[in-house]
Amino acid sequence: MPAEIVGLRVEDVDTKGDLPHIKIVWHEKRRVKTQSSIRQVPLVGDALTAAQKAIEAADGGDMLFPRYARARSSEAVSAALMKHLRAITPDPRHSLHSLRHNMKDW
């Protein structure tokens, strides 16, 4: 979910350990829907590289994506991602939600 990503703190990302991962946890700047939403997501390949670059870009700040560390920021991220998706496919059946489920199914 976009809110889980834009609400990441730098401390939620471990790129150095034996199993690089992000921690999806409740904190003062972002909540999670349910107890089962609290989890660790492994980082491999491009995702690990992107996480490392995001930490560098955070430039010592607390939030991994400070530009989006505000109320309703996940809506802004969703709109921006949909704009990019529409540039690739005009099919109205394709949405961020459907892509997420397709990836999960794969």
Side-chain angles (χ1 to χ4, degrees), residues 63-74:
M63 299 303 291
L64 193 61
F65 303 107
R67 175 179 178 184
Y68 296 104
R70 62 188 183 336
R72 301 177 66 101
S73 61
S74 62

Side-chain angles (χ1 to χ4, degrees), residues 3 6 18 27 44 47 62 66 69 74 83 87 91-92 100:
V6 299
D18 291 336
H27 61 80
V44 296
D62 293 340
S74 62
K83 181 179 177 181
D91 188 336
R100 182 175 74 87

Side-chain angles (χ1 to χ4, degrees), residues 2 4 11-13 30 32 34 43 48 54 57-58 69 79 83 90 95 101:
E4 292 176 340
E11 70 184 70
D12 295 331
V13 183
R30 193 241 309 111
V32 291
T34 65
L43 292 170
L48 177 57
K83 181 179 177 181
S95 68
H101 283 281

Side-chain angles (χ1 to χ4, degrees), residues 3-102:
E4 292 176 340
I5 301 305
V6 299
L8 283 172
R9 301 170 297 184
V10 172
E11 70 184 70
D12 295 331
V13 183
D14 179 358
T15 60
K16 306 269 192 240
D18 291 336
L19 179 62
H21 63 278
I22 59 174
K23 294 178 277 189
I24 306 296
V25 296
W26 183 295
H27 61 80
E28 67 282 352
K29 299 220 182 207
R30 193 241 309 111
R31 26 179 238 157
V32 291
K33 285 185 178 181
T34 65
Q35 187 69 26
S36 63
S37 296
I38 297 171
R39 63 198 185 282
Q40 292 184 355
V41 180
L43 292 170
V44 296
D46 290 341
L48 177 57
T49 302
Q52 291 165 333
K53 289 180 180 180
I55 291 171
E56 288 175 24
D59 201 28
D62 293 340
M63 299 303 291
L64 193 61
F65 303 107
R67 175 179 178 184
Y68 296 104
R70 62 188 183 336
R72 301 177 66 101
S73 61
S74 62
E75 292 173 21
V77 169
S78 290
L81 290 171
M82 277 304 297
K83 181 179 177 181
H84 288 287
L85 181 62
R86 287 293 160 247
I88 297 167
T89 176
D91 188 336
R93 294 175 298 165
H94 296 159
S95 68
L96 296 176
H97 188 74
S98 68
L99 291 176
R100 182 175 74 87
H101 283 281
N102 286 342

